[in-house]
């Protein structure tokens, strides 16, 4: 049972990571900096609870805000580059963040032990949940409460005026600009929101694993972050959730019995999934079908739409 | 209301637009013609702010907008269409208009998330009108990429109007249209003048430009070589030389 609760926690945290990339991707920016924002959230959140003795909730909120501010600052220079150049630039930023934490040493003496981030050795003993006697199920519920909050916020944003404007920028910047949209405002705020979400996820991750180190926040994590929304399809936030469940639940955990063959199959299955559903697991027609199904149950008049 | 003073754009050594003076008055349709590569589209892109001007000034309603950000020019009342249609292909017809309508009339960059209640009802109503205008009411929820070519042209035209411009820049709106569609376009352009809008029309289809324009300016190699009424332009020797080639060479 604990195994499945643990899996639910991982899926929740990775969903936040994927959603942070989703928000940015909506405006047409392919960012590999999300793992960097995630790392900032993890370290800031961990330091606030461990060193400053904060509650995890307030520590997580501040971690999200710090990551959001950094992401906003990254958003401005990111405006100047597009496509592959943006991928390169954001990868470089993510690596810079990782190397910063590789060299980041800030330990204080508590009793007869040193606590805090310790460069390459990482940051151990982020034990807010354990020290306060949270059960694994309470931790999972806490994580999923945040995930659902973020999912709902993005769902609402997607369907609001701002969401339409964001997608318009993602489609064609010149046309959006000619429709009176400020590209700067849209892209930078998307980057900032993505940073906040990644920061929240990072803070939860730090408290969930209790031990973080620079190597966890490398290019691989950044690739996962961007793979979730792309594999899920950009039609709906639920696509990202579906992709995380598919990758973390099915590919990473479900195929564990295959041993070393798993890694081989992992890549092959992602390629297969992209071939079978080139527009993502939940593409426009799947979302439309879902919605028809829902309205059929509500009104019993789905045929009226068709 | 629009005034270009010595407007120039140089790409390296190429003088795409070279010291062009041009005026468009309120409620006036001005045609801008010239052979391919004469600088017409570059002029539009300069007026919209896609490129920064190398030299010269752009005045709109008395204000110098030469250095103004492109989206602020749109909000200030200056909208355009594109030579090659640029719609948001994966958004619906309704959403295409909705994006443009929502930024209309905003003097400054505010309200990315604002304007929730009162403004939205008015905006929705005006999107309905635009759908009616473009004849796309029945296709409002269709993805734009699935529309026929002529419908896409009409939608782009309506999207430009959604920004509530006082001056509309039309960059070859008749390109790829059949005669019937050109006739329809002509009515729409004349209707804009009736509503008090000014239009700067760039076009290769001479029947259209000659038929609707109050005044026509001719560009060649980035310079304005003639300006006058359609009749004057048709009789102008320099214009004939630019289009047909110089008989004596």
């Amino acid at each position: 049972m604990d195994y499945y609760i643990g899996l639910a926690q991982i899926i929740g945290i990775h969903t936040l990571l994927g959603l942070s990339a989703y928000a940015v991707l909506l405006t047409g920016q392919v960012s590999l900096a999300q793992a960097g924002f995630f790392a900032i959230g993890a370290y800031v959140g961990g330091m606030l609870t461990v060193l400053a003795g904060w509650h995890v909730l307030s520590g997580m909120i501040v971690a999200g805000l710090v990551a959001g501010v950094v992401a906003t600052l990254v958003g401005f220079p990111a405006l100047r580059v597009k496509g592959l150049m943006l991928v390169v630039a954001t990868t470089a930023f993510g690596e810079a963040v990782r190397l910063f934490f590789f060299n980041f040493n800030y330990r204080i003496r508590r009793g007869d032990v040193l606590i805090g981030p310790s460069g390459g050795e990482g940051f151990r003993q982020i034990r807010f949940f354990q020290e306060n006697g949270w059960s694994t199920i309470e931790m999972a519920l806490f994580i999923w409460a945040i995930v659902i909050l973020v999912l709902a916020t993005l769902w609402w944003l997607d369907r609001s005026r701002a969401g339409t404007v964001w997608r318009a920028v993602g489609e064609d910047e010149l046309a959006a600009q000619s429709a009176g949209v400020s590209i700067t405002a849209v892209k930078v705020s998307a980057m900032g929101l993505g940073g906040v979400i990644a920061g929240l996820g990072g803070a939860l991750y730090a408290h969930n694993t209790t031990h973080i180190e620079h190597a966890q926040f490398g290019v691989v994590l950044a690739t996962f972050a961007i793979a979730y929304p792309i594999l899920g399809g950009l039609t709906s936030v639920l696509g990202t959730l579906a992709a995380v469940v598919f990758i973390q639940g099915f590919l990473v955990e479900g195929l564990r019995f295959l041993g070393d063959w798993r890694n081989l199959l992992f890549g092959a299955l992602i390629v297969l999934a992209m071939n079978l559903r080139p527009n993502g697991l939940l593409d426009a027609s799947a979302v439309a079908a879902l919605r028809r199904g829902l309205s059929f149950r509500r009104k019993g008049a789905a045929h009226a739409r068709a | 209301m629009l005034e270009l003073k010595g407007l120039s754009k140089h790409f390296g050594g190429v003088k795409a637009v070279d010291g062009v003076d041009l005026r468009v008055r309120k409620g006036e349709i001005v045609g801008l013609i010239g052979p391919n590569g004469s600088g017409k589209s570059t002029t539009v892109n300069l007026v919209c702010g896609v490129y920064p001007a190398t030299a010269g000034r752009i005045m709109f309603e008395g204000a110098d907008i030469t250095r103004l950000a492109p989206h602020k020019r749109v909000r200030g009342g200056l909208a355009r269409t594109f030579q090659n249609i640029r719609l948001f292909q994966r958004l619906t017809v309704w959403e295409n208009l909705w994006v443009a309508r929502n930024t209309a009339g905003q003097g400054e960059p505010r309200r990315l998330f604002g304007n929730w209640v009162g403004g939205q009802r008015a905006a929705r109503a005006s999107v309905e009108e635009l759908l009616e205008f473009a004849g796309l009411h029945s296709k409002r929820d269709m993805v734009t990429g699935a529309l026929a070519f002529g419908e896409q042209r009409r939608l782009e035209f309506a999207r430009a109007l959604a920004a509530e411009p006082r001056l509309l820049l039309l960059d070859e709106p008749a390109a790829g249209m059949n005669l019937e569609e050109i006739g329809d376009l002509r009515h729409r352009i004349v209707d804009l003048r009736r509503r008090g809008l000014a239009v700067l029309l760039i076009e290769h289809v001479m029947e259209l430009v000659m038929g609707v324009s109050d005044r026509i300016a001719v560009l060649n190699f980035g310079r304005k070589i003639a300006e006058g009424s359609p009749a004057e332009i048709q009789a102008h020797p320099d214009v004939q030389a630019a289009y047909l080639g110089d008989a004596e060479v």
Side-chain angles (χ1 to χ4, degrees):
Chain A
M1 191 59 199
D2 266 2
Y3 168 79
Y4 290 103
I5 296 171
L7 185 57
Q9 291 169 348
I10 290 168
I11 288 174
I13 288 165
H14 277 253
T15 301
L16 289 174
L17 184 64
L19 291 176
S20 85
Y22 176 90
V24 178
L25 211 52
L26 274 189
T27 63
Q29 305 179 94
V30 179
S31 160
L32 281 173
Q34 303 313 111
F37 306 141
F38 190 80
I40 292 170
Y43 274 87
V44 171
M47 285 169 71
L48 287 173
T49 58
V50 173
L51 303 181
W54 287 27
H55 189 274
V56 67
L57 186 63
S58 41
M60 184 187 71
I61 289 168
V62 172
L65 291 177
V66 171
V69 169
V70 174
T72 306
L73 294 177
V74 171
F76 282 100
L79 286 169
R80 302 216 143 259
V81 286
K82 277 178 200 160
L84 213 48
M85 289 301 144
L86 180 63
V87 173
V88 172
T90 50
T91 308
F93 171 80
E95 282 299 283
V97 170
R98 184 180 68 76
L99 289 169
F100 172 80
F101 287 120
F102 180 51
N103 292 292
F104 183 58
N105 219 317
Y106 184 85
R107 294 203 287 175
I108 57 172
R109 185 165 291 283
R110 178 83 41 92
D112 47 357
V113 286
L114 286 167
I115 54 170
S118 170
E121 284 175 40
F123 182 4
R124 291 161 197 276
Q125 306 290 326
I126 309 172
R127 296 175 57 82
F128 177 90
F129 287 133
Q130 288 76 7
E131 282 163 11
N132 289 279
W134 290 45
S135 68
T136 48
I137 203 142
E138 282 168 335
M139 282 160 63
L141 288 176
F142 180 69
I143 290 169
W144 273 91
I146 309 295
V147 172
I148 286 167
L149 193 73
V150 171
L151 269 173
T153 307
L154 280 179
W155 175 275
W156 162 79
L157 178 92
D158 233 351
R159 262 132 205 86
S160 78
R161 191 164 72 80
T164 313
V165 172
W166 284 23
R167 284 174 188 274
V169 171
E171 285 272 317
D172 188 334
E173 283 182 28
L174 185 56
Q177 184 174 281
S178 303
V181 175
S182 165
I183 307 296
T184 305
V186 167
K187 282 183 148 188
V188 171
S189 50
M191 202 60 129
L193 180 66
V196 170
I197 297 171
L200 294 176
L204 287 173
Y205 174 74
H207 291 87
N208 193 48
T209 59
T210 72
H211 169 208
I212 53 176
E213 58 176 67
H214 73 99
Q216 296 160 331
F217 307 106
V219 177
V220 175
L221 190 69
T223 313
F224 267 97
I226 203 79
Y228 295 136
I230 290 176
L231 182 68
L234 280 176
T235 315
S236 157
V237 286
L238 295 179
T240 302
L241 178 60
V244 176
V245 172
F246 176 70
I247 291 182
Q248 290 297 330
F250 177 66
L251 294 185
V252 175
E253 293 302 321
L255 301 179
R256 206 174 271 285
F257 69 94
L258 290 172
D260 288 344
W261 289 98
R262 182 181 65 154
N263 292 330
L264 191 70
L265 207 61
F266 182 90
L269 278 171
I270 286 189
V271 172
L272 187 70
M274 292 309 289
N275 269 292
L276 289 176
R277 301 202 68 83
N279 293 317
L281 296 176
L282 282 186
D283 58 10
S285 62
V287 171
L290 263 173
R291 228 178 263 154
R292 266 199 305 278
L294 288 176
S295 65
F296 181 75
R297 246 171 276 157
R298 263 206 310 273
K299 293 183 265 177
H303 61 277
R305 282 187 155 204
Chain B
M1 70 194 308
L2 178 75
E3 192 176 357
L4 311 182
K5 291 180 183 168
L7 191 64
S8 299
K9 178 66 190 177
H10 301 173
F11 295 105
V14 180
K15 295 176 176 177
V17 175
D18 192 14
V20 169
D21 296 301
L22 188 68
R23 252 168 190 274
V24 183
R25 297 185 195 90
K26 193 173 183 326
E28 189 181 36
I29 299 175
V30 175
L32 187 60
I33 63 171
N36 283 324
S38 60
K40 305 182 300 290
S41 280
T42 307
T43 305
V44 170
N45 284 332
L46 287 172
V47 172
C48 294
V50 177
Y51 307 133
T54 309
R57 290 204 294 161
I58 306 163
M59 309 290 290
F60 183 61
E61 294 180 332
D64 188 337
I65 60 164
T66 317
R67 307 244 165 273
L68 197 66
H71 68 274
K72 290 186 189 166
R73 300 184 194 198
V74 181
R75 294 175 185 187
L78 212 163
R80 73 173 293 184
T81 63
F82 290 89
Q83 188 175 338
N84 44 341
I85 307 170
R86 299 188 79 131
L87 291 163
F88 309 121
Q89 296 280 332
R90 277 177 290 191
L91 300 189
T92 66
V93 170
W94 185 87
E95 285 172 331
N96 264 270
L97 297 172
W98 180 237
V99 167
R101 179 60 187 80
N102 268 292
T103 51
Q106 297 188 6
E108 62 269 12
R110 59 192 168 121
R111 304 196 299 189
L112 182 66
F113 295 94
N115 188 19
W116 287 115
V117 193
Q120 287 224 348
R121 197 170 299 141
R124 279 174 196 277
S126 91
V127 169
E128 294 302 316
E129 278 173 33
L130 286 161
L131 281 170
E132 211 62 73
F133 168 82
L136 292 168
H137 213 281
S138 60
K139 304 195 168 175
R140 53 183 297 155
D141 291 326
M142 257 173 87
V143 173
T144 309
L147 293 181
F149 179 81
E151 293 171 330
Q152 295 204 7
R153 278 262 182 237
R154 290 208 302 273
L155 178 58
E156 203 195 30
F157 198 97
R159 188 181 65 187
L161 290 181
E164 297 194 323
R166 293 182 293 285
L167 173 70
L168 189 60
L169 301 154
L170 299 171
D171 193 355
E172 298 198 23
M177 282 187 167
N178 60 32
L179 281 175
E180 191 188 336
E181 288 167 333
I182 290 175
D184 176 61
L185 177 66
R186 182 178 170 157
H187 285 298
R188 286 173 197 275
I189 296 174
V190 172
D191 188 52
L192 294 180
R193 176 169 53 193
R194 204 173 48 75
R195 289 204 261 162
L197 268 78
V199 177
L200 183 60
L201 172 67
I202 291 176
E203 193 47 77
H204 275 301
V205 179
M206 285 303 149
E207 296 89 329
L208 181 63
V209 196
M210 295 298 167
V212 300
S213 301
D214 299 307
R215 219 147 37 78
I216 294 175
V218 188
L219 293 184
N220 197 21
F221 298 113
R223 292 184 153 275
K224 190 171 84 176
I225 57 168
E227 188 175 341
S229 70
E232 285 165 4
I233 293 298
Q234 278 170 324
H236 202 291
D238 289 350
V239 177
Q240 293 178 347
Y243 269 92
L244 304 173
D246 199 329
E248 284 161 36
V249 173

